[in-house]
Amino acid sequence: MIGLQLAAATETLAAFEAMLAEQGIDPSPAAEVRPEALVGVASDGRDLGSLLQLAATAAQFDMIVETQLQDVARQAAAVSLGTHPQVTGYVRMVNPGACGRCVILAGRWYRWSDGFQRHPRCACRHIPAMEDAAGDFRTDPREYFDSLTGAEQDATFGKAGAEAIRLGADMGQVVNARRGMSTAQVSARSVLVTSEGTSRAGVAGRSGVRGARLMPESILASATSRDDAVRLLREYAYIT
Ligand SMILES: [Zn+2]
Ligand SMILES: [Zn+2]
């Protein structure tokens, strides 16, 4: 699991740099990123082992593993967003098999510091972007819908929902996008308050609420500026 986490984080960082270079943006981060700082930690900041122990069945275990690997990739993306001051935001991209809630969010642009709304097994990703970049079915709800077969449309949106969309209904009206969606570290604010209150220096690995570690995405969300985000990412040892 540790090796898979490291691979997911490293791949995301490399993919981000490639996408930045493609957009003519200097891909080198403002600081050296330490993907190993994301390893062994669950996406809500607790110890990964303790989360895996909560699985009561093999199916639950698989769900946790899959979700954690997707989340670690997204946390790596958050570090990358934080360390590229030229990048003002990201676009949300779906991957094949996405659910209706995710499809209707495809292509939306978010500020660099906005947390990523996701649900268990969600495979959606950040694309670094200055603004909404259209032209790919993975970032356009309607194009994505049209790329599916009728049966896939039914499976993703429900039979009635898919039929309504085929008849021209607004996709956002058909899907309840918020159901079951949250950022990876929901209690980030209390983690921040606790760890900030405990010590201002050397907090890497230090326990906050219930031993939780402040995750990169939460750092971006709570930072007062880009400089503050970089400072906090460094303080928590995500970058050097
Ligand atoms: Zn989804
Ligand atoms: Zn998703």
Side-chain angles (χ1 to χ4, degrees), residues 45-69:
R46 83 176 93 181
D47 176 70
L48 181 64
S50 70
L51 176 64
L52 290 169
Q53 277 169 14
L54 295 179
T57 65
Q60 278 176 10
F61 187 85
D62 287 351
M63 193 268 279
I64 292 173
V65 167
E66 189 183 334
T67 304
Q68 287 303 311
L69 290 176

Side-chain angles (χ1 to χ4, degrees), residues 92 98-103 119 122-124 181:
R92 194 178 162 105
C99 75
R101 289 167 293 170
C102 291
V103 172
H119 56 79
C122 172
C124 297
M181 298 275 253

Side-chain angles (χ1 to χ4, degrees), residues 182-208:
S182 65
T183 53
Q185 190 170 45
V186 178
S187 60
R189 196 148 294 281
S190 51
V191 175
L192 177 71
V193 167
T194 305
S195 53
E196 292 274 291
T198 309
S199 163
R200 292 296 309 131
V203 280
R206 173 182 288 278
S207 34

